[in-house]
Amino acid sequence: MQVVTVVSAVFGARCSVLVDDDGSCVVVDAGAGVMDDVLALVAERDLRPAAVLATHGHVDHTWDAGRLSAALDVPVVLHAADVYRLADPFGTLGLLGSAAGPTHDPSGPLAQALVATGVDPASYTAPQRVEPFGAVDDVRSADTLLELGSLRIVARHAPGHTEGSTLYLLGALAFTGDVLFAGSVGRTDLPGGHDATMQRTLREVVATLPPETVVVPGHGPTTDIATELVHNPYLARL
């Protein structure tokens, strides 16, 4: 199995394409501007996409998910608790308060980051094919086994950054989205974030992963659990 990384120009969000030996593949976190590179990779290697996964519903990780899902004819898969974010990516970040449909704040940092890369903040397309897992009202859902093509991926609910934040586990790899970074963790001050829940996730979900687990975060460099348990101040103090 190979992991191909495409980094979005918007906040450096990290999109990972998981490619199995038989050509099956899954896209994790399709941020803004990654679609062309992902489609080129799929065509060049004659890959067979099975899904577009989202570690959580924040728009810097899902901007291209809808269009990529349509282009590849595969579903967008994420935890049920974050599905609501896909319909109103800016409003659910608290940039405009509540909103009935896709909205944007043209003066906000997210909209400015999109514009700087040539992306129109009003051009967002919500996914039409969404396959949620887990339960909306669970503080901690049970693991879900996702069988996607030849890939068997464990989805482990890890709320705190958002209600539906999820770790995707594949062998010795953990795709952590904005739950865990090298030397840091995801913020909890945005709508849907909750510090006490994040602390529980770090203690009961993240810190209990095998030390040799390789962490592929949603932003920044790859790391591993052993390193983070010693050097990440948010884990070292647990």
Side-chain angles (χ1 to χ4, degrees):
M1 203 273 295
Q2 181 184 12
V3 178
V4 180
T5 300
V6 181
V7 179
S8 170
V10 177
F11 301 154
R14 186 169 178 168
C15 172
S16 299
V17 184
L18 318 186
V19 182
D20 206 357
D21 294 339
D22 69 349
S24 292
C25 74
V26 169
V27 180
V28 180
D29 284 354
V34 305
M35 178 173 169
D36 288 346
D37 285 343
V38 172
L39 292 179
L41 176 70
V42 168
E44 176 186 337
R45 300 195 184 184
D46 194 24
L47 301 177
R48 298 190 309 279
V52 176
L53 304 186
T55 57
H56 62 296
H58 282 163
V59 68
D60 55 323
H61 295 260
T62 63
W63 185 271
D64 277 0
R67 293 192 304 133
L68 194 56
S69 165
L72 297 175
D73 192 24
V74 298
V76 174
V77 177
L78 77 166
H79 194 279
D82 267 17
V83 169
Y84 78 101
R85 297 177 180 275
L86 300 178
D88 183 15
F90 288 91
T92 55
L93 272 172
L95 299 180
L96 289 178
S98 60
T103 57
H104 70 280
D105 173 8
S107 65
L110 177 54
Q112 291 176 5
L114 290 166
V115 170
T117 61
V119 177
D120 179 359
S123 69
Y124 173 78
T125 300
Q128 298 302 302
R129 291 182 60 190
V130 179
E131 294 185 1
F133 58 85
V136 173
D137 56 354
D138 281 356
V139 175
R140 182 70 44 74
S141 301
D143 285 357
T144 300
L145 177 62
L146 304 175
E147 299 191 53
L148 304 169
S150 60
L151 294 166
R152 294 167 60 86
I153 299 172
V154 173
R156 181 162 297 169
H157 193 202
H161 178 64
T162 66
E163 309 94 320
S165 286
T166 299
L167 307 187
Y168 292 116
L169 309 176
L170 181 60
L173 296 174
F175 298 85
T176 59
D178 286 3
V179 174
L180 179 68
F181 309 122
S184 189
V185 298
R187 59 192 294 181
T188 59
D189 60 333
L190 296 172
H194 191 269
D195 187 64
T197 302
M198 175 65 95
Q199 294 304 311
R200 180 182 172 191
T201 284
L202 294 176
R203 182 174 62 253
E204 299 181 5
V205 179
V206 173
T208 59
L209 290 171
E212 65 273 15
T213 301
V214 175
V215 173
V216 183
H219 304 265
T222 299
T223 181
D224 59 71
I225 292 297
T227 298
E228 296 310 304
L229 287 173
V230 174
H231 297 292
N232 187 319
Y234 297 92
L235 295 185
R237 71 188 184 194
L238 292 177

